[in-house]
Amino acid sequence: MAIMLTQAPKGTRDILPEDIAQWNYVEQKFSELCKKFGYKEIRIPVFEHTELFQRGVGDTTDIVQKEMYTFKDKGDRSITLRPEGTAGVVRSYIEHGMGSLPQPVKLFYQITAYRYENVQKGRYREFHQFGVELLGAADPSADVEVISMLALYFEQLGIKNLVLNLNSIGCPKCRSAYNEKLKAYLKEHLSSMCETCRERYERNPMRILDCKEEGCKLRIKDAPALLDHICDECRDHFSKVTTRLEAIGIPYNIDKGIVRGLDYYTKTVFEFVSKNIGTQGTVCGGGRYDGLVEACGGAPTPGIGFALGVERLLLEMQSQGIELPKAETPHIYIGAIGEKAALMCERLAWQLRRNNIFCVKDIMNRSVKAQMKYADKLGAHYALILGDNEIENNKAQLKDMRTGETKDISLDTLIDRLVKHRG
RNA sequence: GUGGGUAUAGCUCAGUUGGUUAGAGCGCCAGGUUGUGGCCCUGGAGGUCAUGGGUUCAACUCCCAUUAUUCACCCCA
């Protein structure tokens, strides 16, 4: 089979001009909101050293085990296209000594990410994420700030009925104690469980709770839940988070099953889930990762963040019938008949554009009728055609394309009038 | 990695039990006016019917494979 020159690779897609306005809209809204909370934008590389993700995301995760786009560059370095944003941001935090900045350090980003997975609704191999990382703050207020940002973002976009699922997966201390309890419970059932679960039993028993195999689900149902076995400190942290969420009126649902995909998550984990955009309903996921900076070679630093799937966000907005902005249309179209008029058209359009007016002019040398049709299709508010009469009298008919009315207007005052009447 | 659906024009789709020049609507271009869009009318461009093989006198139509796409499993944003 010949390589498909005319087809984008599997799992990638073009965002076409007709859809750009809605992307710009959600991007701008997100960026404004982040700034109001004191977050600063950061831009990180599309690729990093493979080892960063192995450490930062975790060797036992599906992401690292089977979903990364990894290749050798010409210097024989192993390079990986970022499968998410947190690892890169944490690397940057360490590399640039951000631990010496006034704490906490609050960052946001809008990135593409890459995972080699089979494509389905709401899931692509190249996808877009908005994310936030809050580094240096261990207090439960930090968890609440990050979650409340999301709640406010959805509110501002007019999105309703997303469910906030919340859980705590404890700290390394209580988790290892819990893991022992879990292993003790699972030990007698192990022979009847699936192969991957038997492997997880050794490497990362908590992930067994995520298994969807029927046989395993049966065993898991009555397994001890981590949330019921976390240490006093983690319990206190979690209860402060929920108390504060209640204080500002953000509803949540405790879901003891949330584990999250990254190994370094600690304490609070959460996701915002939709029911109506297919089975990939997690619009946004995040959590606390107090061990991550240290694991990547920095000083012990608490952190919390989230990533929001933009494709899923837009799917959700569409499914809720939320009206999204469309591209701006020209304020005026200027056409011309004949060479003399074309020269005048050139000058006029130039002046309009220097005055910041959205102006489209004829560059096809077409008939008047074709030009008017074109102006109509562009959605221009006004149209104006220059010809011999206009040159002679220095006047033209300014046509309002919505009402069809025309007005005689002196070309000298055209710009003033358009500036005044704009918008 | 696994399973199901789908593949005909730029888009949405027809195409009879297999039958000769593959159609429609929308969109695009042009004309119907001598210098003015929308409605209407006329004309035009645009398809190796996803690709490769097979059955047949004959395949868009039946069979097989491949690829793409889509939905789902796994997992995640």
Side-chain angles (χ1 to χ4, degrees):
Chain A
M1 187 75 194
I3 292 170
M4 310 288 282
L5 286 180
T6 56
Q7 191 155 32
K10 185 195 267 289
T12 67
R13 36 182 225 167
D14 303 309
I15 301 167
L16 297 171
E18 63 200 67
D19 296 322
I20 280 294
Q22 60 193 54
W23 282 80
N24 290 158
Y25 172 71
V26 294
E27 283 162 3
Q28 194 193 332
K29 281 278 185 188
F30 183 74
S31 153
E32 280 170 8
L33 181 73
C34 287
K35 288 173 190 163
K36 292 245 162 70
F37 273 76
Y39 290 72
K40 290 180 178 166
E41 182 170 359
I42 185 168
R43 300 196 185 189
I44 52 171
V46 167
F47 57 86
E48 299 270 1
H49 295 293
T50 301
E51 198 187 349
L52 175 67
F53 299 118
Q54 287 170 341
R55 290 246 222 135
V57 177
D59 273 333
T60 64
T61 61
D62 277 12
I63 293 176
V64 170
Q65 284 184 349
K66 51 187 199 188
E67 294 172 4
M68 295 207 301
Y69 277 95
T70 298
F71 57 95
K72 281 269 174 79
D73 73 5
K74 291 184 179 178
D76 207 34
R77 288 170 280 255
S78 180
I79 295 296
T80 295
L81 262 34
R82 61 188 175 208
E84 51 97 48
T86 304
V89 171
V90 164
R91 191 224 80 233
S92 181
Y93 176 91
I94 299 167
E95 179 170 345
H96 295 99
M98 293 188 208
S100 306
L101 294 174
Q103 300 292 300
V105 172
K106 300 160 80 164
L107 303 165
F108 79 94
Y109 51 85
Q110 308 187 145
I111 59 170
T112 52
Y114 303 85
R115 292 184 199 171
Y116 190 86
E117 293 185 276
N118 268 344
V119 174
Q120 70 188 82
K121 189 173 185 183
R123 184 162 69 191
Y124 307 96
R125 290 183 172 180
E126 178 186 63
F127 59 102
H128 295 73
Q129 287 187 332
F130 297 162
V132 151
E133 311 297 346
L134 169 47
L135 291 143
D139 194 81
S141 304
D143 308 36
V144 173
E145 175 164 300
V146 155
I147 292 169
S148 70
M149 265 180 76
L150 282 163
L152 186 53
Y153 184 53
F154 297 137
E155 182 183 311
Q156 288 181 349
L157 293 178
I159 297 174
K160 289 173 183 153
N161 302 325
L162 285 186
V163 175
L164 167 60
N165 286 328
L166 205 60
N167 191 22
S168 174
I169 56 172
C171 60
K173 273 175 274 171
C174 47
R175 206 181 315 164
S176 64
Y178 167 76
N179 273 342
E180 292 313 310
K181 275 182 193 150
L182 183 62
K183 282 168 87 168
Y185 170 84
L186 291 172
K187 197 167 185 176
E188 54 179 310
H189 303 296
L190 203 57
S191 56
S192 63
M193 301 184 80
C194 73
E195 198 179 319
T196 39
C197 278
R198 288 202 290 269
E199 195 191 316
R200 286 166 176 154
Y201 184 84
E202 297 304 331
R203 303 193 62 179
N204 193 350
M206 261 177 61
R207 299 194 61 79
I208 294 178
L209 300 178
D210 240 5
C211 191
K212 303 296 188 295
E213 291 277 329
E214 279 308 316
C216 301
K217 271 164 86 174
L218 263 174
R219 312 295 173 205
I220 296 161
K221 221 177 75 186
D222 299 317
L226 176 51
L227 188 58
D228 301 326
H229 294 84
I230 55 178
C231 65
D232 289 346
E233 188 202 325
C234 290
R235 174 166 312 288
D236 181 55
H237 184 97
F238 190 65
S239 90
K240 280 182 173 148
V241 170
T242 54
T243 304
R244 281 168 159 73
L245 286 175
E246 283 158 24
I248 56 174
I250 293 177
Y252 61 88
N253 167 51
I254 290 178
D255 180 349
K256 295 176 183 177
I258 304 182
V259 176
R260 303 264 86 236
L262 286 72
D263 282 354
Y264 281 97
Y265 276 119
T266 54
K267 292 183 177 164
T268 314
V269 291
F270 62 89
E271 52 191 31
F272 282 86
V273 182
S274 158
K275 284 186 185 123
N276 43 23
I277 56 170
T279 54
Q280 305 303 318
T282 305
V283 174
C284 172
R288 181 165 278 285
Y289 44 82
D290 290 345
L292 181 55
V293 176
E294 193 176 4
C296 290
T301 308
I304 182 164
F306 65 76
L308 181 152
V310 185
E311 284 83 359
R312 291 178 188 179
L313 178 79
L314 289 171
L315 270 178
E316 178 64 17
M317 291 177 79
Q318 282 150 15
S319 85
Q320 292 198 17
I322 294 167
E323 205 163 317
L324 285 154
K326 296 194 176 86
E328 199 185 339
T329 55
H331 194 54
I332 184 167
Y333 174 88
I334 302 181
I337 316 156
E339 189 51 32
K340 263 190 187 169
L343 255 183
M344 183 181 273
C345 176
E346 202 74 70
R347 280 196 292 265
L348 199 50
W350 176 243
Q351 287 174 41
L352 286 167
R353 288 162 171 171
R354 293 180 91 181
N355 279 278
N356 202 28
I357 288 168
F358 186 176
C359 166
V360 174
K361 72 181 282 288
D362 172 52
I363 47 174
M364 296 275 280
N365 196 25
R366 282 194 284 208
S367 72
V368 172
K369 180 171 182 160
Q371 293 192 47
M372 290 303 289
K373 275 192 174 180
Y374 182 58
D376 183 44
K377 284 169 200 156
L378 293 181
H381 296 194
Y382 295 102
L384 181 149
I385 306 287
L386 298 168
D388 292 342
N389 292 340
E390 286 74 16
I391 294 172
E392 213 169 296
N393 304 321
N394 202 38
K395 268 165 58 174
Q397 287 200 323
L398 181 67
K399 184 163 190 172
D400 184 321
M401 295 296 280
R402 280 181 284 203
T403 63
E405 288 167 14
T406 59
K407 275 183 199 159
D408 270 351
I409 181 166
S410 151
L411 292 180
D412 298 328
T413 62
L414 178 66
I415 291 167
D416 282 346
R417 290 189 63 153
L418 287 174
V419 170
K420 214 180 290 172
H421 289 267
R422 189 162 43 155

